[in-house]
Amino acid sequence: YLTCRNAGTGNGSGSGVSSIDASLVERSILFSGQYYSSRGFFPIDTSSITSASTITAATMSQYIEVSAKFDTNSDSLSVVQTSQASTSSLANSDFGAVTFVDGGSKTLASFSVASQYWVWTLNSTGRGYINKTGFSKLGVMSLNEINSSVPTGLNQLGGPWYFADNTGTSKDPYISVTYTTPVTTPKFFFNFNESS
């Protein structure tokens, strides 16, 4: 299991219109004596947030057509920070470009068979993953995998997970960020002239 979890290179990657995998979106499973792991990478341009701003809340929304759910080990899907080289493509070597630190999780039990946006609330750690001057490299993976909890069966969602490449914008992934900007206090200069 740890060989699978800690691998630096995966055996398949893609950045197409939809779905992390042809039939499932996220998994940390034991199946037929083999361990499997899938991870999602979602770089989002957040450079419009000024560097001096203070982020107070953030959510990440992903459109998923959930067709099936398996939750043998009471797993959750967690937002993590990623460090892949490109923000427009993936390579097998990006599999290990993730932090094993939970930035906000959503339990598998909270999903149902439905096609809709599903929302993750980022915790203080996850809010720290937001880059105010460039791309925020966010990802999603099994919380049990983050915690090195060995799966004893299936923990996964079935159904496509839509990427920004999808035609139109009705199913694009996005994040919503609440932040404050510092107020600049105007400075007044006074010039006194005296005469006698």
mmCIF file of all heavy atoms in Angstrom, residues 133-165:
data_model
loop_
_atom_site.group_PDB
_atom_site.id
_atom_site.type_symbol
_atom_site.label_atom_id
_atom_site.label_comp_id
_atom_site.label_asym_id
_atom_site.label_seq_id
_atom_site.Cartn_x
_atom_site.Cartn_y
_atom_site.Cartn_z
ATOM 1 N N THR A 133 -1.102 35.866 -6.238
ATOM 2 C CA THR A 133 -0.397 36.527 -7.334
ATOM 3 C C THR A 133 -0.188 35.623 -8.551
ATOM 4 O O THR A 133 0.539 35.981 -9.470
ATOM 5 C CB THR A 133 0.979 37.042 -6.858
ATOM 6 O OG1 THR A 133 1.759 35.933 -6.384
ATOM 7 C CG2 THR A 133 0.827 38.063 -5.750
ATOM 8 N N GLY A 134 -0.835 34.458 -8.568
ATOM 9 C CA GLY A 134 -0.648 33.539 -9.694
ATOM 10 C C GLY A 134 -1.668 32.419 -9.669
ATOM 11 O O GLY A 134 -2.822 32.625 -9.292
ATOM 12 N N PHE A 135 -1.250 31.214 -10.052
ATOM 13 C CA PHE A 135 -2.135 30.055 -10.059
ATOM 14 C C PHE A 135 -2.148 29.381 -8.694
ATOM 15 O O PHE A 135 -1.084 29.148 -8.103
ATOM 16 C CB PHE A 135 -1.688 29.038 -11.116
ATOM 17 C CG PHE A 135 -2.252 29.283 -12.477
ATOM 18 C CD1 PHE A 135 -1.635 30.173 -13.339
ATOM 19 C CD2 PHE A 135 -3.411 28.632 -12.900
ATOM 20 C CE1 PHE A 135 -2.152 30.405 -14.603
ATOM 21 C CE2 PHE A 135 -3.932 28.863 -14.160
ATOM 22 C CZ PHE A 135 -3.305 29.748 -15.012
ATOM 23 N N SER A 136 -3.339 29.079 -8.220
ATOM 24 C CA SER A 136 -3.488 28.230 -7.036
ATOM 25 C C SER A 136 -3.543 26.793 -7.528
ATOM 26 O O SER A 136 -4.433 26.425 -8.290
ATOM 27 C CB SER A 136 -4.776 28.575 -6.275
ATOM 28 O OG SER A 136 -4.717 29.886 -5.765
ATOM 29 N N LYS A 137 -2.585 25.995 -7.124
ATOM 30 C CA LYS A 137 -2.527 24.600 -7.565
ATOM 31 C C LYS A 137 -3.198 23.724 -6.509
ATOM 32 O O LYS A 137 -2.587 23.339 -5.511
ATOM 33 C CB LYS A 137 -1.087 24.182 -7.808
ATOM 34 C CG LYS A 137 -0.431 24.923 -8.968
ATOM 35 C CD LYS A 137 0.988 24.436 -9.216
ATOM 36 C CE LYS A 137 1.613 25.125 -10.415
ATOM 37 N NZ LYS A 137 3.000 24.633 -10.669
ATOM 38 N N LEU A 138 -4.476 23.442 -6.747
ATOM 39 C CA LEU A 138 -5.263 22.639 -5.823
ATOM 40 C C LEU A 138 -5.478 21.249 -6.401
ATOM 41 O O LEU A 138 -5.508 21.068 -7.621
ATOM 42 C CB LEU A 138 -6.613 23.307 -5.561
ATOM 43 C CG LEU A 138 -6.579 24.750 -5.041
ATOM 44 C CD1 LEU A 138 -7.990 25.277 -4.857
ATOM 45 C CD2 LEU A 138 -5.800 24.837 -3.740
ATOM 46 N N GLY A 139 -5.635 20.290 -5.543
ATOM 47 C CA GLY A 139 -5.907 18.930 -5.966
ATOM 48 C C GLY A 139 -6.894 18.275 -5.027
ATOM 49 O O GLY A 139 -7.262 18.846 -4.000
ATOM 50 N N VAL A 140 -7.336 17.088 -5.386
ATOM 51 C CA VAL A 140 -8.254 16.317 -4.536
ATOM 52 C C VAL A 140 -7.750 14.884 -4.469
ATOM 53 O O VAL A 140 -7.370 14.298 -5.478
ATOM 54 C CB VAL A 140 -9.694 16.352 -5.089
ATOM 55 C CG1 VAL A 140 -10.604 15.452 -4.261
ATOM 56 C CG2 VAL A 140 -10.240 17.777 -5.093
ATOM 57 N N MET A 141 -7.741 14.335 -3.253
ATOM 58 C CA MET A 141 -7.339 12.948 -3.060
ATOM 59 C C MET A 141 -8.012 12.392 -1.812
ATOM 60 O O MET A 141 -8.672 13.121 -1.060
ATOM 61 C CB MET A 141 -5.817 12.830 -2.957
ATOM 62 C CG MET A 141 -5.216 13.530 -1.761
ATOM 63 S SD MET A 141 -3.396 13.468 -1.743
ATOM 64 C CE MET A 141 -3.134 11.705 -1.544
ATOM 65 N N SER A 142 -7.852 11.106 -1.592
ATOM 66 C CA SER A 142 -8.458 10.428 -0.456
ATOM 67 C C SER A 142 -7.867 10.923 0.864
ATOM 68 O O SER A 142 -6.649 10.986 1.037
ATOM 69 C CB SER A 142 -8.227 8.918 -0.591
ATOM 70 O OG SER A 142 -8.342 8.272 0.650
ATOM 71 N N LEU A 143 -8.737 11.261 1.823
ATOM 72 C CA LEU A 143 -8.267 11.662 3.145
ATOM 73 C C LEU A 143 -7.636 10.472 3.869
ATOM 74 O O LEU A 143 -6.640 10.629 4.587
ATOM 75 C CB LEU A 143 -9.417 12.232 3.975
ATOM 76 C CG LEU A 143 -9.058 12.713 5.388
ATOM 77 C CD1 LEU A 143 -8.004 13.818 5.346
ATOM 78 C CD2 LEU A 143 -10.305 13.196 6.118
ATOM 79 N N ASN A 144 -8.201 9.288 3.671
ATOM 80 C CA ASN A 144 -7.591 8.104 4.276
ATOM 81 C C ASN A 144 -6.187 7.871 3.728
ATOM 82 O O ASN A 144 -5.292 7.416 4.438
ATOM 83 C CB ASN A 144 -8.465 6.868 4.031
ATOM 84 C CG ASN A 144 -9.677 6.833 4.930
ATOM 85 O OD1 ASN A 144 -9.784 7.614 5.873
ATOM 86 N ND2 ASN A 144 -10.606 5.937 4.651
ATOM 87 N N GLU A 145 -6.003 8.188 2.459
ATOM 88 C CA GLU A 145 -4.673 8.059 1.876
ATOM 89 C C GLU A 145 -3.711 9.074 2.479
ATOM 90 O O GLU A 145 -2.551 8.762 2.764
ATOM 91 C CB GLU A 145 -4.746 8.221 0.358
ATOM 92 C CG GLU A 145 -3.442 7.954 -0.356
ATOM 93 C CD GLU A 145 -3.583 7.964 -1.866
ATOM 94 O OE1 GLU A 145 -4.725 8.013 -2.370
ATOM 95 O OE2 GLU A 145 -2.547 7.924 -2.540
ATOM 96 N N ILE A 146 -4.180 10.286 2.698
ATOM 97 C CA ILE A 146 -3.357 11.297 3.365
ATOM 98 C C ILE A 146 -2.901 10.786 4.724
ATOM 99 O O ILE A 146 -1.743 10.953 5.120
ATOM 100 C CB ILE A 146 -4.157 12.614 3.530
ATOM 101 C CG1 ILE A 146 -4.368 13.281 2.171
ATOM 102 C CG2 ILE A 146 -3.437 13.579 4.477
ATOM 103 C CD1 ILE A 146 -5.267 14.493 2.211
ATOM 104 N N ASN A 147 -3.814 10.126 5.429
ATOM 105 C CA ASN A 147 -3.533 9.638 6.777
ATOM 106 C C ASN A 147 -2.885 8.252 6.798
ATOM 107 O O ASN A 147 -2.740 7.656 7.880
ATOM 108 C CB ASN A 147 -4.828 9.611 7.598
ATOM 109 C CG ASN A 147 -5.397 11.003 7.808
ATOM 110 O OD1 ASN A 147 -4.655 11.981 7.877
ATOM 111 N ND2 ASN A 147 -6.714 11.099 7.909
ATOM 112 N N SER A 148 -2.501 7.736 5.632
ATOM 113 C CA SER A 148 -1.887 6.397 5.514
ATOM 114 C C SER A 148 -2.760 5.301 6.110
ATOM 115 O O SER A 148 -2.268 4.356 6.728
ATOM 116 C CB SER A 148 -0.505 6.376 6.185
ATOM 117 O OG SER A 148 0.421 7.146 5.479
ATOM 118 N N SER A 149 -4.070 5.438 5.936
ATOM 119 C CA SER A 149 -5.013 4.427 6.401
ATOM 120 C C SER A 149 -5.239 3.426 5.268
ATOM 121 O O SER A 149 -5.791 3.769 4.230
ATOM 122 C CB SER A 149 -6.337 5.083 6.809
ATOM 123 O OG SER A 149 -7.270 4.133 7.249
ATOM 124 N N VAL A 150 -4.809 2.196 5.472
ATOM 125 C CA VAL A 150 -4.838 1.188 4.411
ATOM 126 C C VAL A 150 -6.280 0.807 4.075
ATOM 127 O O VAL A 150 -7.040 0.405 4.961
ATOM 128 C CB VAL A 150 -4.054 -0.064 4.830
ATOM 129 C CG1 VAL A 150 -4.062 -1.109 3.713
ATOM 130 C CG2 VAL A 150 -2.613 0.305 5.195
ATOM 131 N N PRO A 151 -6.701 0.931 2.818
ATOM 132 C CA PRO A 151 -8.076 0.562 2.446
ATOM 133 C C PRO A 151 -8.272 -0.947 2.496
ATOM 134 O O PRO A 151 -7.348 -1.720 2.222
ATOM 135 C CB PRO A 151 -8.206 1.081 1.015
ATOM 136 C CG PRO A 151 -6.814 1.092 0.486
ATOM 137 C CD PRO A 151 -5.936 1.432 1.654
ATOM 138 N N THR A 152 -9.477 -1.340 2.867
ATOM 139 C CA THR A 152 -9.818 -2.765 2.890
ATOM 140 C C THR A 152 -10.814 -3.111 1.791
ATOM 141 O O THR A 152 -11.244 -4.256 1.680
ATOM 142 C CB THR A 152 -10.406 -3.156 4.250
ATOM 143 O OG1 THR A 152 -11.597 -2.392 4.488
ATOM 144 C CG2 THR A 152 -9.408 -2.900 5.368
ATOM 145 N N GLY A 153 -11.209 -2.122 0.992
ATOM 146 C CA GLY A 153 -12.166 -2.351 -0.089
ATOM 147 C C GLY A 153 -12.298 -1.096 -0.921
ATOM 148 O O GLY A 153 -11.378 -0.277 -0.997
ATOM 149 N N LEU A 154 -13.460 -0.914 -1.532
ATOM 150 C CA LEU A 154 -13.690 0.202 -2.445
ATOM 151 C C LEU A 154 -14.045 1.484 -1.703
ATOM 152 O O LEU A 154 -14.914 1.493 -0.829
ATOM 153 C CB LEU A 154 -14.830 -0.139 -3.411
ATOM 154 C CG LEU A 154 -14.637 -1.347 -4.331
ATOM 155 C CD1 LEU A 154 -15.907 -1.589 -5.122
ATOM 156 C CD2 LEU A 154 -13.459 -1.131 -5.255
ATOM 157 N N ASN A 155 -13.390 2.561 -2.070
ATOM 158 C CA ASN A 155 -13.732 3.911 -1.605
ATOM 159 C C ASN A 155 -13.618 4.809 -2.833
ATOM 160 O O ASN A 155 -12.526 5.254 -3.190
ATOM 161 C CB ASN A 155 -12.753 4.376 -0.524
ATOM 162 C CG ASN A 155 -12.713 3.440 0.661
ATOM 163 O OD1 ASN A 155 -13.582 3.466 1.519
ATOM 164 N ND2 ASN A 155 -11.699 2.580 0.717
ATOM 165 N N GLN A 156 -14.731 5.075 -3.500
ATOM 166 C CA GLN A 156 -14.653 5.828 -4.753
ATOM 167 C C GLN A 156 -16.021 6.342 -5.178
ATOM 168 O O GLN A 156 -17.055 5.883 -4.697
ATOM 169 C CB GLN A 156 -14.067 4.970 -5.872
ATOM 170 C CG GLN A 156 -14.949 3.811 -6.298
ATOM 171 C CD GLN A 156 -14.306 2.948 -7.379
ATOM 172 O OE1 GLN A 156 -13.080 2.825 -7.435
ATOM 173 N NE2 GLN A 156 -15.118 2.355 -8.221
ATOM 174 N N LEU A 157 -15.974 7.336 -6.071
ATOM 175 C CA LEU A 157 -17.174 7.831 -6.728
ATOM 176 C C LEU A 157 -17.126 7.402 -8.180
ATOM 177 O O LEU A 157 -16.072 7.457 -8.818
ATOM 178 C CB LEU A 157 -17.252 9.358 -6.674
ATOM 179 C CG LEU A 157 -17.469 10.019 -5.321
ATOM 180 C CD1 LEU A 157 -17.474 11.526 -5.490
ATOM 181 C CD2 LEU A 157 -18.763 9.548 -4.695
ATOM 182 N N GLY A 158 -18.252 6.991 -8.715
ATOM 183 C CA GLY A 158 -18.347 6.684 -10.138
ATOM 184 C C GLY A 158 -18.990 7.836 -10.879
ATOM 185 O O GLY A 158 -19.906 8.481 -10.361
ATOM 186 N N GLY A 159 -18.508 8.111 -12.083
ATOM 187 C CA GLY A 159 -19.086 9.188 -12.894
ATOM 188 C C GLY A 159 -18.064 10.235 -13.253
ATOM 189 O O GLY A 159 -17.086 10.424 -12.549
ATOM 190 N N PRO A 160 -18.267 10.952 -14.363
ATOM 191 C CA PRO A 160 -17.291 11.947 -14.819
ATOM 192 C C PRO A 160 -17.231 13.192 -13.945
ATOM 193 O O PRO A 160 -18.229 13.621 -13.378
ATOM 194 C CB PRO A 160 -17.768 12.286 -16.233
ATOM 195 C CG PRO A 160 -19.216 11.970 -16.232
ATOM 196 C CD PRO A 160 -19.378 10.803 -15.306
ATOM 197 N N TRP A 161 -16.045 13.733 -13.884
ATOM 198 C CA TRP A 161 -15.741 14.954 -13.134
ATOM 199 C C TRP A 161 -15.286 15.975 -14.173
ATOM 200 O O TRP A 161 -14.296 15.765 -14.858
ATOM 201 C CB TRP A 161 -14.619 14.627 -12.166
ATOM 202 C CG TRP A 161 -14.205 15.670 -11.191
ATOM 203 C CD1 TRP A 161 -14.006 16.979 -11.423
ATOM 204 C CD2 TRP A 161 -13.904 15.437 -9.815
ATOM 205 N NE1 TRP A 161 -13.586 17.608 -10.279
ATOM 206 C CE2 TRP A 161 -13.517 16.685 -9.281
ATOM 207 C CE3 TRP A 161 -13.908 14.320 -8.995
ATOM 208 C CZ2 TRP A 161 -13.132 16.835 -7.953
ATOM 209 C CZ3 TRP A 161 -13.535 14.477 -7.680
ATOM 210 C CH2 TRP A 161 -13.164 15.708 -7.158
ATOM 211 N N TYR A 162 -15.976 17.089 -14.294
ATOM 212 C CA TYR A 162 -15.744 18.003 -15.418
ATOM 213 C C TYR A 162 -14.589 18.968 -15.166
ATOM 214 O O TYR A 162 -14.439 19.522 -14.082
ATOM 215 C CB TYR A 162 -17.017 18.782 -15.738
ATOM 216 C CG TYR A 162 -17.995 17.940 -16.519
ATOM 217 C CD1 TYR A 162 -18.816 17.018 -15.876
ATOM 218 C CD2 TYR A 162 -18.052 18.014 -17.904
ATOM 219 C CE1 TYR A 162 -19.683 16.214 -16.583
ATOM 220 C CE2 TYR A 162 -18.921 17.219 -18.628
ATOM 221 C CZ TYR A 162 -19.732 16.318 -17.963
ATOM 222 O OH TYR A 162 -20.580 15.515 -18.678
ATOM 223 N N PHE A 163 -13.781 19.170 -16.221
ATOM 224 C CA PHE A 163 -12.656 20.087 -16.192
ATOM 225 C C PHE A 163 -13.012 21.367 -16.937
ATOM 226 O O PHE A 163 -14.034 21.452 -17.614
ATOM 227 C CB PHE A 163 -11.424 19.454 -16.854
ATOM 228 C CG PHE A 163 -10.933 18.217 -16.167
ATOM 229 C CD1 PHE A 163 -10.297 17.213 -16.895
ATOM 230 C CD2 PHE A 163 -11.081 18.039 -14.807
ATOM 231 C CE1 PHE A 163 -9.821 16.062 -16.259
ATOM 232 C CE2 PHE A 163 -10.603 16.899 -14.171
ATOM 233 C CZ PHE A 163 -9.974 15.911 -14.903
ATOM 234 N N ALA A 164 -12.129 22.364 -16.856
ATOM 235 C CA ALA A 164 -12.366 23.648 -17.524
ATOM 236 C C ALA A 164 -12.352 23.514 -19.038
ATOM 237 O O ALA A 164 -12.855 24.386 -19.745
ATOM 238 C CB ALA A 164 -11.328 24.671 -17.079
ATOM 239 N N ASP A 165 -11.775 22.407 -19.556
ATOM 240 C CA ASP A 165 -11.730 22.193 -21.006
ATOM 241 C C ASP A 165 -13.110 21.934 -21.602
ATOM 242 O O ASP A 165 -13.296 22.013 -22.816
ATOM 243 C CB ASP A 165 -10.848 20.984 -21.347
ATOM 244 C CG ASP A 165 -9.476 21.059 -20.703
ATOM 245 O OD1 ASP A 165 -9.430 21.079 -19.465
ATOM 246 O OD2 ASP A 165 -8.487 21.090 -21.426
#
